Amino acid sequence: MAKSRLPAFLEDHPGLGSLGNVEVPRLKLLQASSPELAQSDDAKQGEFWHSLLGRSIGSSIRICPVFINWCFILWRPREAGGGILARADDGKHWTPADTEFKVKLKSGDEVTWQTGRSVAASGLSKRGSYNPNDPNSPPAATRMYSVVCSFPDHQNWPPAVLTLQRTSIKAATKLIDQLRVLRAPSFGVILEMSSVKDESPSGEFNNYAFELYGPVEDKPFYEENSRQYRFFIEHGLKVKDLEGAQDD
């Protein structure tokens, strides 16, 4: 089969029959600090980057949000080396649980984060937990939304996942609010996703904007979205290079 020419209908959805062993690639909005800018001439700040295709797909594209979930990530501070210390994929229970991490912050303070029995018990999702010496510090744990996207205008592209956290949390919650008022399932809805300029105390950055485009009218595409949704519900979502999302 490897040597024979595949029928066109098989080439339309490469690899989708074996998602069980596949980590979903990421769909990134490139920032000034994104490493892709130095790695590829095709990469441009303010444009979306499909990590499996390895190229920019522009600053605006139509997507279908096939599957959405959220979790908590306990990131080691970047200045201390970065990376994931613990995660709560169900939003409730830490892996590893009841584990203590001693962390040195950018301020120079050394603090201890303990995951405890659960996210709620640990208190790490509450304001002031990043630096217990500063009640106004942010939560130590970061809430992250993951949105698996398919592409109605490029149905041969593999699905990719957005990771929305920190400065993009408002865009994520607005997206979820938009979807909640619709009668259609999320995988039956087409959205226009755009890159927009935004500002934070740290300066200007690129953020996400989502606008409703309309329903999916292509039945085979809808059925493939539905199949993927059922797969993620049953097996969960594995995001490729999740640790790289710390700098998003």
Side-chain angles (χ1 to χ4, degrees), residues 2 18 37 47 67 72 89 142 156 178 217 230 237 246:
S18 57
L37 298 180
E47 294 191 356
F67 177 78
F72 282 108
D89 289 332
T142 300
N156 61 318
Q178 288 175 316
E217 297 182 352
R230 293 194 303 271
L237 173 63
Q246 183 168 9

Side-chain angles (χ1 to χ4, degrees), residues 125-213:
S125 63
K126 296 180 180 178
R127 188 167 185 82
S129 59
Y130 183 80
N131 185 350
N133 301 319
D134 178 5
N136 294 317
S137 66
T142 300
R143 183 188 292 262
M144 174 187 287
Y145 289 89
S146 297
V147 183
V148 178
C149 303
S150 63
F151 306 92
D153 300 323
H154 306 276
Q155 295 180 27
N156 61 318
W157 288 2
V161 61
L162 301 170
T163 53
L164 306 176
Q165 58 180 332
R166 301 191 185 102
T167 54
S168 57
I169 279 292
K170 287 185 178 179
T173 54
K174 181 180 178 181
L175 167 61
I176 292 168
D177 288 343
Q178 288 175 316
L179 295 173
R180 278 177 177 162
V181 301
L182 301 176
R183 290 182 296 171
S186 68
F187 52 80
V189 174
I190 298 175
L191 300 170
E192 185 82 29
M193 180 176 69
S194 302
S195 168
V196 294
K197 292 292 185 182
D198 205 344
E199 291 187 359
S200 73
S202 301
E204 190 177 75
F205 66 100
N206 302 293
N207 210 341
Y208 299 81
F210 301 94
E211 294 294 336
L212 179 63
Y213 182 86

Side-chain angles (χ1 to χ4, degrees), residues 22-196:
V22 174
E23 293 181 321
V24 182
R26 293 179 55 216
L27 184 60
K28 302 177 62 175
L29 176 52
L30 299 183
Q31 309 290 344
S33 59
S34 296
E36 289 81 3
L37 298 180
Q39 296 167 0
S40 172
D41 293 337
D42 185 48
K44 296 180 178 62
Q45 182 181 345
E47 294 191 356
F48 299 104
W49 181 267
H50 193 301
S51 67
L52 185 58
L53 297 178
R55 65 181 179 87
S56 169
I57 57 175
S59 59
S60 179
I61 190 166
R62 295 200 300 167
I63 63 168
C64 290
V66 172
F67 177 78
I68 303 174
N69 73 354
W70 63 273
C71 66
F72 282 108
I73 303 287
L74 188 64
W75 297 105
R76 185 189 306 277
R78 292 184 185 88
E79 56 272 11
I84 297 174
L85 295 173
R87 53 196 291 176
D89 289 332
D90 63 357
K92 298 178 181 179
H93 303 99
W94 286 116
T95 301
D98 293 313
T99 303
E100 186 174 279
F101 299 100
K102 295 189 181 299
V103 178
K104 186 171 184 178
L105 307 180
K106 187 176 182 178
S107 63
D109 291 345
E110 292 188 359
V111 301
T112 299
W113 295 339
Q114 187 161 355
T115 54
R117 302 185 312 277
S118 65
V119 173
S122 71
L124 294 175
S125 63
K126 296 180 180 178
R127 188 167 185 82
S129 59
Y130 183 80
N131 185 350
N133 301 319
D134 178 5
N136 294 317
S137 66
T142 300
R143 183 188 292 262
M144 174 187 287
Y145 289 89
S146 297
V147 183
V148 178
C149 303
S150 63
F151 306 92
D153 300 323
H154 306 276
Q155 295 180 27
N156 61 318
W157 288 2
V161 61
L162 301 170
T163 53
L164 306 176
Q165 58 180 332
R166 301 191 185 102
T167 54
S168 57
I169 279 292
K170 287 185 178 179
T173 54
K174 181 180 178 181
L175 167 61
I176 292 168
D177 288 343
Q178 288 175 316
L179 295 173
R180 278 177 177 162
V181 301
L182 301 176
R183 290 182 296 171
S186 68
F187 52 80
V189 174
I190 298 175
L191 300 170
E192 185 82 29
M193 180 176 69
S194 302
S195 168
V196 294

